[in-house]
């Protein structure tokens, strides 16, 4: 089972990502629109993989991801952002993809990082 945490403050983009990841093998999903919501969601159900925007309406994706990783251990991360230059983080299992979303690239990144 592959549980995915989608951190995205635009509901339509989050929904699109969830649809793509479901096609690619994601089996369950939590959605968070802010840094705090993401951290709380991960506490309730630690994700197998995180899909995150960088800039959120409240907080940032990288700050949420860092807090989640510190609390739950190494977790693969895919940042999907329109502001690649604002993504100043680096983890071993991390990919940064640009918006607008390239569906094939997102699915390929997910399939390469998601636990089997």
């Amino acid at each position: 089972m592959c549980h995915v945490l989608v951190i995205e403050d635009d509901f339509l983009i989050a929904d699109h990502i969830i649809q793509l990841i479901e096609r690619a093998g994601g089996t369950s999903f939590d959605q968070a629109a802010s840094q705090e919501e993401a951290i709380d969601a991960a506490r309730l159900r630690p994700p197998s993989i995180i899909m995150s925007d960088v800039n959120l309406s409240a907080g940032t994706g990288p700050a949420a991801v860092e807090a989640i990783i510190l609390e739950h251990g190494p977790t693969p991360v895919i940042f999907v952002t329109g502001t690649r230059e604002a993504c100043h983080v680096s983890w071993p299992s991390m990919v940064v993809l640009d918006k607008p979303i390239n569906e094939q690239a997102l699915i390929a990144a997910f399939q390469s990082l998601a636990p089997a």
Side-chain angles (χ1 to χ4, degrees):
M1 183 163 85
C2 184
H3 179 66
V4 183
L5 173 58
V6 177
I7 308 169
E8 171 61 64
D9 57 356
D10 183 313
F11 175 78
L12 293 175
I13 294 173
D15 188 55
H16 185 207
I17 290 170
I18 289 170
Q19 288 178 25
L20 292 172
I21 296 311
E22 192 169 34
R23 263 195 299 180
T27 54
S28 62
F29 304 89
D30 280 324
Q31 183 177 338
S34 71
Q35 180 177 325
E36 185 176 330
E37 285 178 17
I39 294 166
D40 290 344
R43 284 186 180 133
L44 291 173
R45 187 166 185 193
S48 305
I49 188 168
I50 301 170
M51 309 285 295
S52 181
D53 193 0
V54 172
N55 295 313
L56 306 171
S57 57
T60 71
V65 169
E66 183 175 13
I68 293 166
I69 288 174
L70 285 173
E71 193 167 322
H72 299 284
T75 306
V77 180
I78 300 172
F79 286 103
V80 182
T81 182
T83 54
R84 175 185 283 270
E85 66 281 356
C87 191
H88 301 288
V89 295
S90 181
W91 289 286
S93 296
M94 183 184 101
V95 173
V96 180
L97 300 175
D98 294 307
K99 288 180 181 172
I101 296 171
N102 176 318
E103 294 181 358
Q104 290 78 18
L106 188 138
I107 290 169
F110 176 81
Q111 290 176 331
S112 73
L113 291 177

